Amino acid sequence: MISGNQLEILQHFKSFLSESKLSSVSIKNYLSDIRRYFEWLQNNRNISGTIRDFTESASNGYLKYLETCNTPQSTINRYLASYRRFLTFLKIEYRYEIESHSTDQIRSRETDHHLTPEKLIQQFRESLTSERKTPSTIKNYISDVIHFWTWIAN
């Protein structure tokens, strides 16, 4: 059971997500995933689940917990996406940022290995799609990244 403070944070997060023009299903999934994280903090770390409890140690512990429960990789990836979005929310709305790592370091096992330019482009494309960018915007962003990489290589 989550606390009143957590419910207030989740309500604020819901407003933040709504302003991003996400679908109601996406909002529901983000809130569900963060609610599960709050519950895990309380049950496994005996922590109240306040904003300050979003630490590198806690996020690593939660990831290990999900892995030991044989949670499918696709589900873990979704939880991580929700967690990254929540960290963005905390940074913007509460000016709180986890020390020791950035949201870029919170990613799935699958993306930690052998990152090729093609995989990076695909991940970027998927991220833009999930943010509901238009196909022409995605095409332009991808083109800009490729031109940038070419410029760096030369």
Side-chain angles (χ1 to χ4, degrees), residues 20-37:
S20 299
K21 307 233 187 287
L22 295 174
S23 73
S24 60
V25 172
S26 293
I27 292 171
K28 181 181 110 336
N29 287 338
Y30 279 124
L31 293 172
S32 173
D33 295 343
I34 298 305
R35 188 175 294 113
R36 287 178 193 214
Y37 182 74

Side-chain angles (χ1 to χ4, degrees), residues 1-2 6 32-49 53-69 83:
M1 183 75 176
I2 63 176
Q6 293 165 345
S32 173
D33 295 343
I34 298 305
R35 188 175 294 113
R36 287 178 193 214
Y37 182 74
F38 277 143
E39 290 169 352
W40 177 83
L41 283 172
Q42 288 176 324
N43 296 332
N44 295 284
R45 294 274 177 125
N46 200 21
I47 296 174
S48 62
D53 294 328
F54 279 78
T55 64
E56 181 178 15
S57 172
S59 66
N60 288 336
Y62 187 58
L63 182 58
K64 287 177 186 171
Y65 164 76
L66 293 172
E67 291 170 344
T68 59
C69 293
Y83 188 78

